[in-house]
Amino acid sequence: MAPSTHAHPTRTHGRPTPRRDAQEAYYIPASSYDGASEKGSRRAAERGGSKLPLVVALVVMVLIAAGGAYVWLTRPVSLTLDGQQVEARPGTTLSALMADNGVSVKAGNFVSVGGTVLEEGGGRPLNATVNGAELTDEQAGAYRVAKGDEVTVTDGDDVIEQYTAETATQQPALTMDGVEGPLAYVAQWGQVGEVETRTGSVSGETAQVTTKEKKDCVIKLHYPKPDGGEKLVALTFDDGPSQYTQAYLDILKRYDAKATFFELGQNVQGLPNVAKAVVDDGHQVACHSHTHPLLTKLDAAGVQGELSQGFEAIKNATGVETTVLRPPYGEFKESTWLRSNGLLSLSVHWTQDSEDWRRPGVDAIVSKATAGVVPGSIILMHDGGGPREQDLEALPKIIEALQARGYKFVTLNELMQSDGSIPQDIKSGNARPPADTVWPTELGDA
């Protein structure tokens, strides 16, 4: 009999290990977890079911908001096109704006230096401004409509071919404006002009083009005319200062009259305190040359020397800078202006000559000085250059006679200030050439 075999169950830590069939797999008893799983699934389903409508609603709201924003942002805006109110959507290009509103322009041509059309429509396509600012071609292509813009489009400009150029200068000439008048002043200072000779790189044409206009020096002859016919008259005295000048000042002060003293530089150097007294009493000082030569007989160096020395003597004695001259003997021609090199701005003659230099007697001096006086008259007398006793006796009578007729005695500058047609720099009595002035050396057409 075979021995019996007894199997003993395997023990693990004192506990019997359950037997497993070879086909048995690990599992979780449904009795332990099925209930929890079903509940969890239901809660998950419930949670999922509650979020879906909310998400959908949010998506719809976002889409509606986005659509509304798009409609708002792209709504038509008003602007002005060539003076007309139009509407367009923001972002509309300039070309689309023009097309939508039936606006068309013509492109410029591509032309030679001489103006021959080399290619029609080969120039700028158009000219455009937005809110007053001109656009370049690149800016015009990039422009997009904005509310309230003021847009203007016009035909394009011609474009000139490339060219090489040689530049030449044009010198100003001196011209006279007017026939007569006691005032001769610089109405326009001379400036050099420039002319380019251009040779086209495509056409081979040659053309002359003025790139800077020449300005002639213009000397205007003028009768001063106070605005509104105001009764103003200018007393003027030549050849001082002298031993008589202070007596003239005393008479003028007594009658509250102002005057202009055309002084010789050499006399000012000899009597600087008297020259200063003229200014201190409110009168005007100007130049009568330095030594009283006939300026028309001098060369350029002589004319310029007489002017510069006379002006300098007055400045040193009185502090007054002036470019106003009364030429000795009243002689100052166009050729003398040329030789002056722009040192003076105004040459002053007279309308009434008292002829006191003749010493014709007091009554004759008074008659000559007052006859034919009108608003703007300039009376010639002297406070130097010889005996002046007749002048000192005649001067009060002249002043009384004209004051009785309603005239007021003013300086030359004051007289010019009353005439709105005279340039302001000339009225100052010290006009100077601008920095870019070129003084002419030749006479132009009369």
Side-chain angles (χ1 to χ4, degrees):
M1 181 174 183
S4 61
T5 320
H6 296 278
H8 297 282
T10 303
R11 293 182 180 272
T12 304
H13 300 294
R15 293 183 182 179
T17 301
R19 291 171 61 96
R20 289 193 300 272
D21 192 80
Q23 300 297 321
E24 184 180 358
Y26 291 101
Y27 70 97
I28 298 175
S31 60
S32 300
Y33 292 99
D34 280 354
S37 177
E38 290 174 4
K39 292 178 182 178
S41 298
R42 284 198 302 271
R43 283 196 293 269
E46 289 171 359
R47 285 196 299 270
S50 62
K51 285 185 176 179
L52 182 58
L54 178 59
V55 171
V56 172
L58 288 174
V59 171
V60 171
M61 290 176 65
V62 169
L63 290 175
I64 292 173
Y70 175 78
V71 171
W72 174 259
L73 293 174
T74 60
R75 74 195 187 285
V77 296
S78 295
L79 68 154
T80 303
L81 175 61
D82 291 346
Q84 301 296 320
Q85 288 291 323
V86 299
E87 288 192 346
R89 291 192 179 279
T92 300
T93 64
L94 180 60
S95 58
L97 178 68
M98 294 169 58
D100 291 344
N101 291 277
V103 175
S104 62
V105 293
K106 183 180 180 181
N109 297 321
F110 180 57
V111 299
S112 70
V113 292
T116 302
V117 176
L118 302 177
E119 179 187 349
E120 289 192 6
R124 286 196 72 183
L126 55 80
N127 287 318
T129 61
V130 175
N131 301 325
E134 185 173 352
L135 304 185
T136 64
D137 290 349
E138 182 178 356
Q139 290 171 333
Y143 170 72
R144 299 294 183 269
V145 164
K147 182 180 179 180
D149 278 351
E150 293 187 5
V151 182
T152 302
V153 290
T154 57
D155 290 345
D157 294 328
D158 291 344
V159 173
I160 300 174
E161 65 176 322
Q162 291 186 341
Y163 54 83
T164 58
E166 294 182 359
T167 302
T169 58
Q170 290 183 322
Q171 297 300 314
L174 186 141
T175 63
M176 305 299 291
D177 178 11
V179 178
E180 59 181 1
L183 302 183
Y185 60 81
V186 182
Q188 178 174 279
W189 300 92
Q191 291 182 356
V192 168
E194 291 184 353
V195 176
E196 280 188 357
T197 300
R198 299 175 177 178
T199 302
S201 58
V202 176
S203 67
E205 289 182 4
T206 298
Q208 287 192 334
V209 178
T210 298
T211 55
K212 181 181 178 182
E213 288 290 342
K214 178 191 71 170
K215 289 186 178 180
D216 287 335
C217 177
V218 179
I219 308 300
K220 184 173 180 61
L221 301 176
H222 181 69
Y223 279 97
K225 295 179 181 179
D227 296 340
E230 187 177 4
K231 286 189 171 183
L232 303 179
V233 64
L235 266 174
T236 63
F237 302 101
D238 288 5
D239 294 343
S242 73
Q243 60 182 326
Y244 301 99
T245 302
Q246 185 58 55
Y248 282 74
L249 295 177
D250 294 340
I251 294 171
L252 293 169
K253 183 178 293 185
R254 185 163 74 243
Y255 288 96
D256 192 25
K258 300 301 179 185
T260 300
F261 290 77
F262 289 96
E263 300 179 331
L264 293 170
Q266 63 182 6
N267 289 359
V268 172
Q269 290 175 335
L271 296 169
N273 292 336
V274 178
K276 184 67 164 57
V278 171
V279 175
D280 290 344
D281 277 6
H283 304 290
Q284 181 177 348
V285 291
C287 186
H288 193 44
S289 78
H290 189 64
T291 63
H292 206 280
L294 187 60
L295 296 176
T296 55
K297 298 296 184 181
L298 301 181
D299 60 14
V303 171
Q304 293 167 33
E306 283 289 327
L307 295 176
S308 60
Q309 290 180 72
F311 290 140
E312 188 68 17
I314 291 171
K315 178 182 176 181
N316 291 340
T318 69
V320 173
E321 295 186 54
T322 180
T323 55
V324 178
L325 172 76
R326 170 164 284 159
Y329 312 105
E331 291 290 331
F332 207 78
K333 300 179 180 180
E334 294 165 90
S335 57
T336 321
W337 273 103
L338 279 180
R339 293 193 290 272
S340 74
N341 199 35
L343 292 178
L344 77 157
S345 64
L346 171 66
S347 174
V348 182
H349 286 209
W350 51 84
T351 59
Q352 268 69 30
D353 184 356
S354 68
E355 295 188 6
D356 56 348
W357 55 274
R358 295 180 183 273
R359 303 185 68 199
V362 172
D363 290 342
I365 292 173
V366 173
S367 176
K368 289 283 188 180
T370 58
V373 165
V374 296
S377 288
I378 300 173
I379 300 171
L380 170 64
M381 298 184 71
H382 295 77
D383 69 322
R388 300 271 70 99
E389 287 80 10
Q390 290 184 4
D391 293 82
L392 288 173
E393 188 177 345
L395 182 57
K397 297 178 182 295
I398 293 170
I399 295 174
E400 289 174 1
L402 292 178
Q403 284 183 339
R405 288 156 57 181
Y407 281 94
K408 179 181 179 181
F409 291 89
V410 295
T411 67
L412 180 66
N413 278 1
E414 290 172 331
L415 180 61
M416 292 193 297
Q417 286 291 343
S418 73
D419 185 342
S421 68
I422 299 175
Q424 194 60 45
D425 63 333
I426 300 299
K427 293 178 182 180
S428 72
N430 189 34
R432 305 279 176 168
D436 58 351
T437 294
V438 173
W439 192 254
T441 57
E442 295 183 357
L443 294 176
D445 296 333

